Amino acid sequence: GPEVLVGLCVERSLELVVGLLGILKAGGAYLPLDPSYPEERLAFMLEDSGTPIILTQQQLVAGLPKHRAQVLLLDADWERIARNRGDKPERGGGPEGLAYVIYTSGSTGKPNGVMIPHRGLVNYLVWCAQAYDVASGRGAPVHSSISFDLTITGLFSPLLVGQPVVVLPERGGIDVLVDALERNDSFSLVKITPAHLELLPRLLRPERAAGSARALVIGGEALSWAALSFFQRSAPATRLINEYGPTETVVGCCVYDAPADASRTGPVPIGRPIANTRLYVLDAHLQPVPINVPGELYIGGAGVGRGYRNRPALTAERFRPDPFSDEPGARLYKTGDLCRWMADGNLDYLGRADHQVKLRGFRIELGEVESVLSQHPSVRQAVVVAREDGPGEKRLVAYVVGHEAPGPGSGELRSHLQSRLPDYMVPAAFVELPSLPLTPNGKVDRKALPLPDPAATDAGRDFEAPRTPVEEVLATLWAQVLGVPRVSLSDNFFDLGGHSLLAMQVLGRVRTAFGVDVPLRALFETPTVAALAPLVEAALRDGTTPTAPALVPVPREGLLPLSFAQQRLWLLDRLEPDSPLYNVPAAVHLEGPLNATALEQALRALVQRHEALRTTFPSIEGQAHQAIAPELAVHLHTVQLHAPDESAWRDEVQRLAKREAQTPFDLGRGPLLRATLLRRSEQEHVLLLTLHHIVSDGWSLGVLIRELGALHGAFLADRAPSLPSLPIQYADYAMWQRQWLSGDVLKTQLAWWKQHLAGAPPALELPTDRPRPSMRSHRGSVLPVVLPRELTSALTALSRREGSTLFMTLLAAFQLLLGRHSGQDDIV
């Protein structure tokens, strides 16, 4: 009902729209909770807002912080929802009723919840639908978070006039927006930021730009004429609209329609007020200033919000009584933006009067970043500024004074901030100073803060120079985009200040330099030059990369094929049955009270959830198949240990763990998972889990233990488990792999291996070998060797220089040793 705040933590999907409209129709107000935000920030928003209910999806529940709200799943609780009334809700709170609360960056170190009533939202949307002629096109794409009020334009305005909304998926960044523009004709409007606008010319074909949208509405930060030039040339019929507006006054309150034939430089004006909106440029005494004289912008009229939730002092400071209005209770919002009226009646934006900045469309209070940075135990003082040391290279830089020298490293500080702030608020560079420069009156002299010195960032780490032409070009491209003098082979793109939009710039330049396309996800998965270069080289060699079919669920009818990896393990088991060599064991030490019944329930739920744990591999006429049982009862075997002391307890645990790990599985009968609980007391247990490698791997163990803990907690609290659904299981992958890796694709792969293994010796011939028996016994032992500290440090340094792990370095040394003793150049 009216004034009830409902948290909405949903990925972009149909459920998002259902949730939004449902909340508003019921008379409530929505609170957007971005699933990508750190847990600490979400926890503060939930606590500060006091929302009594959260609408979310199954796969997001585990990521929510502790809270007292009721949870409703928009993708799973429809039976529960159907039990409620189905008639039309009573009328909401009217024009002054709360419509939504959006949390923005706050200078006090905590975000502020901006409260917007229906009056302001409706005023903007009705004006928007008419001014942008939304009814004439084909709706709009939604590609940004609902925590960003920019999204309101593309989401609500088409629905108001009966036009479609294309909800684009969360993952994929600007790639999915470009794909939507390539595939759709004549969107009514597309709402983007200037940062998006600068990327589109690198990704969108000029012939597609012309018909993709009737209007581009650009907002979120200052816009330059140079950023408009691509669309002015390629899409002269597309309206290019600069829309200005703080979150406190509903999305946009001022617009400028850029002429298609204008050829200018510098910033684009922010224009004139929208309907029922008043703009004032005032001096320090709240008096209007003349034309061309700078002043602070104040906004009045229907769009002014109600203030900040639970922040009466800040509300009184920013939302002032309107001296120019006769309307009772009318207020002006003090923006902190410096502007001037131009002679033609348009407003010119000049910058900020305080320490708030706009970066990639996001509003950032530098004080909030400074506050969180100062909470690091090794930081005595911190100042954060937004620097633009090159055109279009605006970034956050943090200056830090530590309690001791040297202070914490940039990686440590970055991790500290990433756990508490959204990614867009984490500085790209960190500068350690002995003290902060001060003005004569004792304040921090921000203008005297030095340029970030890349050489200082390089200090303390070994520089690894490029080894190949491709690495050299990639390192140069990265340095240009990131604004650093040089990039080492093992430098992490994101640790150097990279983000998704800069990643798109890098890949655009890779396309220009090499003529190959590298997907955006590749840079996230391989964020170093050393790791990315082989992908570029492979694309250059192949010319064209075979497109794999989509990985989709397949019917579970009859017996299914094995993947190649499973078939290899099945064959090894046939060659040497009853062998424990491919057992994957794990032991988990559990402290605190444990409910064994709930743990066994969780184990069974886990087996029911993952088909691989219900899979066996029967042999039919010498051929392997995988058979998935609809249900499988797995029992938790409990053993009470009576150990007199700690040493005896550990020895007994080791003995039983070793015995369990060495007990073989029967692949044809299963189950291929065993669980044993060793109980020392009410407060101490060890859980032994053993799986066969044909259904699991080392990575799987982490997933299994995390989900087992979540399921145990659910059964302990007598509530339904809330793990995300699994649309794809391993059997789907096995079928996909068999269908794809066949015919010419498989021949190409096999040919590569045959070429590289041609002439390889059949075995490793060591002169110290004893005669090899006909049957391997696997008898052997472990001989521990401790390397001196100096040698270990030297090996680690060598690994860093070569861009390898310590394991790879030691393996290379071992292979050289084998080569020396065998006299062979090829080691098999």
Side-chain angles (χ1 to χ4, degrees), residues 5-7 31 33 45-46 49-54 68-70 309:
L5 201 55
V6 181
L31 167 69
L33 301 166
M45 292 163 64
L46 289 170
S49 65
T51 177
I53 184 168
I54 300 172
R68 295 188 290 269
Q70 182 183 357
R309 194 170 183 86

Side-chain angles (χ1 to χ4, degrees), residues 638-643 649 677-682 685:
T638 303
V639 178
Q640 177 71 54
L641 298 184
H642 301 283
W649 152 254
L677 186 66
L678 307 181
R679 187 173 186 271
R680 184 184 189 187
S681 66
E682 294 285 346
H685 300 76

